[in-house]
Every structure is written in C-alpha cells, then in structure tokens.
Amino acid sequence: MSSKGSMSSKGCILATGGAGYVGTHTVVELLNEGYDVVVVDNLANATMEGLKRIEEITGKRVPAYNVNLLDTEGLKNIFSENRITCVMHFAGFKAVGKSVDIPLQYYKNNIGGTVNLLEVMNEFKVYNMIFSSSATVYGVPEKLPFVETDKTGGCTNPYGKTKFFIEEIMKDLYTADQQWNIVMLRYFNPIGAHKSGRIGESPIGIPHNLMPYISKVAAGELEFLTVYGGDYETKDGTGVRDYTHVVDLAKGHVAALKSVKNKCGLKIYNLGTGKAYSVLEMVKAFEKASGKTVKYKIAPRRAGDLPTFWSDVSLAKKELGWEAEKDLDEMCEDIWRWQCMNPGGYPSGQSKST
C-alpha cells in the first residue's frame, strides 16, 4: 500500500524498516507526538501486520511502501509522493551470529542500501537523518562503560562492521557537506514490547536474539535456550549486556528529532540504561515475570560475541533530555504479555507484500 503523506506542522518522517521491531514502536511515539510518518520496508524480517496494529493503537493511518533500499527508482517514487523532512533509518539485517555466516549479504544490504538512501535524500534535498547504529561499533572494550568518544572499529562481527562503516560514511558526508544534520544513536540491546501487547518483536522463523528466544522457551514453543558461552570472566560465566526497553529507545528517537530540527550538525549518542545483566540473570528475571521455568543448556562461545558491555548514557541525558525509564521487571513483563497475546508472533499468513 502507498499513499501521499499529509503534512503536519511538525513535518513528515520517513521510517525505513518501519514495519520492524524498533521501527513500529518509534512510529507509535512519533504519531503520538503529532508527526506524520511514512514507512518503507522490504519485509525481509517483518510483515504489514505491525503497521495495521499501529493504526489500531494510535487511530492514525500509516502510508507504507514495500520497497528495498537498493531500489533507486522505488525510493525516488517515495520522495516524489511525500514531502519528507527527515529520515529515521532503522532498516538493516541485524542478527550478529547470522552475519558471521553470510557477511556479503549483510554488507550489500546494510551498507549498499544506506548509500543508495543517502544519494536519493541528497537529490531531493532532504538533509536530516537519524540513524539506528549499535553498541557493536565499539568493538572489544578497552574500558567500560562505553562513552561516545571511545574508539570505534575493530568490530567482532560483520553486523557491527556494517554499522561502523555506515557511521564513517555519514561522518564523511557531513564533513563534505554541512547542510546535513545527522544523529547516530548507538543502541544497547533493545527488548520489551508495547504495553498494549499489540506490537512487539516478531522475528520470522527461529529468533536470533536472546529475549524472543527465552519467551518462546517459557511458552513451550521451543524446548530450551542455548546459552553460548558459560566460561566468560563474568559474574556467572555468561555474557553481560545492557538491555533497554524498546519504548524507551523509541522515545529517544523523538528526542533526537528535536535535536535535528535545531540544526545539530553531526551528533552521536548512546541509548541504554547504564546497567548490565548476564544471560542467566535475564533468564531468572523472565521466570519471575512469567511464572514459567526457562530450560537452558550451556554451549561453546559463539564467534563474534563479546563477554560484556554496557553504556554511559549521561550525554543523551544532558543534551537530549532523554533517559531510560523502564526497569528489567517491566521489560520482562511486557515481553511476556506480548508472548501470551501473540503466541506465534504476528498471525501467520500475513501478507509480506503491500
């Protein structure tokens, strides 16, 4: 489906990958703040059901296009039909482990699609960009927590390298042309779901991320969780991460949008909680929220994984006025509500095309 976007006084936002996990939650927050939103998604790991549910939650229609970012003419058509003022770029393959197995697909899709998008934006004189980056750009930590001025690169997997390379491309673009306003948001492990239980993380096939997998084990859809690595130098031998509620992340994008509108130039912010939990702590927290037992087995370490990382989020608080509000219990409760209301994720058989 597609439609010419109406134009509110706040402008029209193009959300690439807007049918996906972080995208759908951010679209809800944008609509609630009075922005017009247009979505483009090739539905490689999403369906249009999430957008239908956004419309249920907000009462507002979301024009959407089934277009791959590598499709130049398709992108130009979107910009021609809608008065885009800013792009929020969520689109991209995101499974760390899978990126190790199929690196060329990750480089072509994530980097190639972004370059194509930036070229079309430039042609249509849309110079405002908010990019979904990742904590993986920091590579192996020299110290913790990560701060935005830490060295990047030396990433341990192709997924992280695509985010790093895209950051470098955007830095070069801004150096060459300072008409651009670019905010790069480095995520720290998004989890959770909308309080309504209507939208959440719904990967196609077997989940590659920890919390969707845990929830399916708790629900009896999967037999056990495979924990990759039980011999790290951490509190219980399992990997330690900074987990952030997806709604908090979504609100971080709204805050970043206000920065872009104030002609911020190029800015980088961590979006996390500043707290770290091990895999087994996440299992216990989910057992508490669900009242179910989560069976797990320890397996050898997985290529590309780091033992531990978490964020310093003081810059986002200082400059954007943003900080995470939801705690671990609420994250797990919201995931379990989503799981119970949507046992198989979004309904099977939903069209993967517009």
Side-chain angles (χ1 to χ4, degrees):
M1 59 182 174
S2 66
S3 173
K4 290 188 178 183
S6 59
M7 189 68 174
S8 75
S9 60
K10 289 193 172 185
C12 184
I13 312 304
L14 177 64
T16 75
Y21 177 43
V22 180
T24 50
H25 289 81
T26 304
V27 171
V28 167
E29 298 303 319
L30 288 169
L31 293 172
N32 286 342
E33 288 289 323
Y35 291 96
D36 290 325
V37 184
V38 174
V39 165
V40 56
D41 200 303
N42 70 350
L43 305 179
N45 194 34
T47 74
M48 283 297 175
E49 179 67 17
L51 298 183
K52 294 176 184 177
R53 295 189 180 191
I54 287 173
E55 294 174 354
E56 292 175 16
I57 292 168
T58 65
K60 298 178 181 179
R61 187 167 179 274
V62 184
Y65 296 79
N66 180 1
V67 171
N68 192 305
L69 295 188
L70 293 168
D71 177 0
T72 303
E73 292 307 311
L75 279 180
K76 288 182 179 180
N77 180 56
I78 296 170
F79 279 81
S80 295
E81 291 189 357
N82 302 274
R83 289 179 291 170
I84 307 299
T85 57
C86 179
V87 175
M88 288 193 177
H89 184 26
F90 302 100
F93 294 155
K94 65 177 185 176
V96 169
K98 197 170 181 180
S99 77
V100 177
D101 298 328
I102 52 170
L104 292 183
Q105 291 185 39
Y106 271 68
Y107 291 132
K108 181 176 182 179
N109 183 76
N110 293 9
I111 299 174
T114 300
V115 170
N116 212 40
L117 173 65
L118 291 168
E119 288 178 338
V120 173
M121 289 176 66
N122 191 61
E123 180 177 336
F124 283 84
K125 297 180 170 53
V126 178
Y127 300 115
N128 298 323
M129 162 66 80
I130 297 172
F131 172 54
S132 301
S133 192
S134 167
T136 56
V137 301
Y138 290 114
V140 179
E142 296 177 350
K143 60 181 178 62
L144 288 167
F146 286 123
V147 296
E148 290 85 349
T149 53
D150 284 345
K151 182 180 69 175
T152 56
C155 307
T156 59
N157 56 75
Y159 164 73
K161 289 176 184 176
T162 68
K163 294 294 188 181
F164 168 70
F165 292 146
I166 291 169
E167 282 198 5
E168 293 299 296
I169 289 166
M170 290 190 180
K171 289 175 185 177
D172 289 342
L173 176 61
Y174 177 71
T175 299
D177 183 356
Q178 297 190 1
Q179 292 184 88
W180 286 82
N181 297 290
I182 300 171
V183 177
M184 300 190 287
L185 301 175
R186 293 173 178 165
Y187 296 175
F188 284 74
N189 295 82
I191 65 172
H194 193 268
K195 189 66 69 179
S196 66
R198 294 297 289 156
I199 57 174
E201 189 167 10
S202 183
I204 294 172
I206 300 296
H208 293 284
N209 294 331
L210 176 66
M211 296 312 290
Y213 209 110
I214 286 179
S215 69
K216 289 185 178 297
V217 174
E221 293 182 27
L222 296 172
E223 185 179 357
F224 61 87
L225 169 71
T226 300
V227 178
Y228 294 101
D231 58 351
Y232 289 116
E233 293 182 8
T234 60
K235 58 189 81 177
D236 57 24
T238 63
V240 170
R241 298 288 183 269
D242 184 338
Y243 295 91
T244 312
H245 198 294
V246 66
V247 173
D248 281 329
L249 279 181
K251 291 178 178 178
H253 287 76
V254 177
L257 185 56
K258 295 171 184 175
S259 180
V260 163
K261 290 170 73 71
N262 289 330
K263 305 297 182 185
C264 62
L266 188 143
K267 296 283 187 177
I268 301 171
Y269 299 102
N270 290 334
L271 294 187
T273 63
K275 300 176 183 177
Y277 300 96
S278 73
V279 173
L280 294 187
E281 285 177 323
M282 299 303 289
V283 168
K284 291 175 184 176
F286 202 84
E287 288 179 333
K288 175 185 174 184
S290 64
K292 304 290 185 179
T293 298
V294 177
K295 297 179 181 178
Y296 65 88
K297 294 182 180 179
I298 304 294
R301 299 183 186 187
R302 184 172 55 183
D305 281 346
L306 292 172
T308 181
F309 61 80
W310 70 92
S311 63
D312 181 316
V313 291
S314 57
L315 187 62
K317 182 177 181 179
K318 176 183 176 183
E319 295 191 2
L320 299 179
W322 175 90
E323 61 181 326
E325 299 175 352
K326 300 178 184 297
D327 62 18
L328 182 57
D329 287 341
E330 187 171 1
M331 296 182 211
C332 292
E333 288 164 6
D334 288 346
I335 297 171
W336 184 237
R337 183 184 303 107
W338 158 256
Q339 173 66 44
C340 292
M341 292 177 65
N342 307 271
Y346 292 125
S348 60
Q350 288 294 331
S351 174
K352 287 185 64 183
S353 63
T354 48

